[in-house]
Amino acid sequence: SAGGRAPLLNWFSSLVASEAHLPQLEAELRTARAVAVETLPLDQGKKRARVLAWSFMSAPERAARGRVLWGDAGREQPQQPRG
């Protein structure tokens, strides 16, 4: 955590228009010590984009943070296998 303080946000995200930028962005996030990095497709008609999402907290830390903020409603849902 920054300066020994608990992070305030579980996830950060950014819209990425060009898929060619993803490898460099993901590498930069790993260098910045992001623990989780996800790329989510965002398609609308012929337009394709993606959302790059990252967190500096582990899954258990995110789940604990969610429980503090929202009780059982803050529990992270299990991730579905990607096919």
Side-chain angles (χ1 to χ4, degrees), residues 10-47:
N10 283 2
W11 288 95
F12 299 86
S13 64
S14 181
L15 181 65
V16 179
S18 175
E19 187 172 15
H21 296 300
L22 286 174
Q24 181 178 353
L25 291 168
E26 291 170 348
E28 291 290 337
L29 288 169
R30 299 273 184 230
T31 299
R33 297 185 180 169
V35 175
V37 178
E38 298 286 333
T39 303
L40 310 166
L42 184 64
D43 299 330
Q44 185 172 355
K46 293 181 182 180
K47 180 131 175 108

